[in-house]
Structure formats: C-alpha cells, structure tokens
Amino acid sequence: MTDRWAPVALVLVSHSRALAEGAVEVAAQMAPGVRLVAAGGTDDGGLGTSFDRVDAALRDATGDGRSVVVVADLGSAVLTAESVLELMDEDVAARVRLADAPFVEGAVAAAVTAHGKADLATVLDSAQAAAGTFGPARPLRDGSSAPVAASGPAGEAPAVTAPVTAPDGSVQATAVLRNPLGLHARPAALIVRMLAHLDAKVQVNGMNAASVLDLMKLGAVKGDVLTITAQGPQAAEAAARLVADVEAGFGEV
C-alpha cells in the first residue's frame, strides 16, 4: 500500500456518471488523502448501473491491499454492487463494506473520516451516521437538544476564553467564528481531520466535532461564539488547537 492514500478507499456507485463523478469531486476537496473511485452510469454513458464499471472500480479501489466502503444511490445500484461482491475473490470481498447511507452526505462524511486513517468499521459507521442529517437535532445524553451557536451581544465584542480544565478533567473554551461563510464544509472538514490525530472527544456547541455533518448542522455563522468542550488524555491540546484554528479563520480570513 502506498503512503499517498488512506487505508480505506471509497467507491461511489450511482445511476448517473455525472452524479458519481460530482460526488467524488466534492469529497476529494475535503479528503484529498482518500482514494475515491466513481462508478456511475451504464457502459454507453446512459442512466443505470454497470456490473463491469462497478467491478473495475472495486478492483481499482482495493488495490495495494486497501479496504473499501461502497456508497450507492438507489436500490438497483446496491444490487449491482452486491452482485459484483458475490463474484469477487473472498479475500478481496472481505475488505469491502456496503454502506446504508445517503449518497452525497454519506460519501463526504466517510471520506473525511477515512482521511484521518480510520479503520474500515469506523469509516462505515461515519457514512451510515450521515442519515441523521435529515432528522431533527440529535438529542444529547441528558435528553436536551444540542445547543445552537450563540451570537455575541449587540455592539459588544463576544467573550472569548482560553481553555480551562475542570476538576473532572474536561476542558472548555470559547472562540468566535470569523469565517465569512460560517462553519461550512471546508472548515468543518479541517476540524475533523485535525482532531482525528488526537486522543480526545470534542464537542462544539454540544455536537460531535468528529462528524463533519454534525458540525455543518450547527449552522454557525460569522460572529457566533463556539463553545468547545473536550475530554480525554489530549483534551487540553485538542481544545487549544481548535480555538487557534477558529480564531485564525481556518486560513480563509
């Protein structure tokens, strides 16, 4: 396996070649270290799925010993992928998982997770958790809803606090979002990729900071105060780096 690519690749199977290639383009912007292979449309460029195109995509993606998560758009795309897997060598098929996930959201979430060199099960979970994007705000463990980003008082600079460690070892800090477009896909992906290398569980305004879709779901805009909490051996480092990244505008300001 080459060092260029993460150990888990993605194959995106769609009825449309343009849709598959477009989803690859979007995911690649946020996860450049992941091998992404499009398998869209029929052999003659029409709408539908092709056994040969999916077979070729899977053989490409599993090259050099990589594992693969397959994300498909419609029912027959799933059936085509399953048919290909049934005829593949067992040792190759054992490294492939078919995700039950929304096509674009699942591909983006899985790609960002895979970029952090997560294992096959973690990447699959990330893709399948993307289905929650379409529901209401995910409830917290105490039964309340996830908080939304808070805006600073009118006419006043919002409060910003450096990371503080509580008696229980958790760390909390706040930072003001400076990005003109808010917490959109690119900065959300940068947060997930940065945290992937740290031994810490981090939340932003109560949402899981390891999920690019959860972060985007906050709808945070420029000027919002983000409350960062972290737990784990590297909680302080994670909070400090996240505050620094937010204050720096993720390189966009």
Side-chain angles (χ1 to χ4, degrees):
M1 186 182 303
T2 65
D3 292 332
R4 178 183 177 187
W5 302 115
V8 179
L10 298 181
V11 169
L12 306 185
V13 182
S14 171
H15 283 63
S16 163
R17 178 178 298 186
L19 179 56
E21 293 176 349
V24 164
E25 183 180 12
V26 171
Q29 286 288 319
M30 289 180 272
V34 178
R35 182 80 177 107
L36 301 161
V37 184
T42 61
D43 295 336
D44 60 2
L47 294 177
T49 53
S50 159
F51 182 98
D52 290 340
R53 291 178 66 81
V54 175
D55 181 71
L58 278 171
R59 293 184 187 282
D60 178 338
T62 53
D64 293 337
R66 285 183 295 273
S67 299
V68 171
V69 169
V70 178
V71 184
D73 62 353
L74 298 172
S76 58
V78 174
L79 293 175
T80 301
E82 290 176 340
S83 297
V84 172
L85 286 173
E86 288 177 358
L87 296 179
M88 296 195 86
D89 294 339
E90 290 185 1
D91 63 321
V92 176
R95 291 187 274 115
V96 179
R97 297 290 184 275
L98 184 57
D100 180 9
F103 189 63
V104 177
E105 290 83 354
V108 169
V112 174
T113 301
H115 185 91
K117 301 189 184 303
D119 60 23
L120 178 60
T122 303
V123 176
L124 178 65
D125 286 346
S126 182
Q128 297 185 154
T133 303
F134 304 104
R138 188 175 302 175
L140 302 180
R141 291 182 178 179
D142 63 2
S144 62
S145 297
V148 299
S151 299
E156 298 180 13
V160 178
T161 60
V164 174
T165 302
D168 65 359
S170 64
V171 178
Q172 180 167 323
T174 58
V176 179
L177 189 63
R178 299 178 59 204
N179 296 64
L181 298 179
L183 191 54
H184 62 93
R186 179 183 174 278
L190 290 176
I191 291 173
V192 175
R193 287 158 49 180
M194 181 272 288
L195 294 177
H197 303 287
L198 297 176
D199 187 4
K201 293 184 178 179
V202 182
Q203 303 82 40
V204 175
N205 290 17
M207 300 297 273
N208 179 14
S211 167
V212 65
L213 298 179
D214 279 0
L215 290 172
M216 293 170 64
K217 197 174 180 180
L218 282 172
V221 299
K222 180 181 179 181
D224 282 349
V225 179
L226 303 180
T227 299
I228 299 159
T229 55
Q231 306 83 33
Q234 292 183 287
E237 180 180 355
R241 290 182 61 175
L242 184 47
V243 167
D245 287 348
V246 173
E247 292 294 294
F250 300 95
E252 295 183 342
V253 296

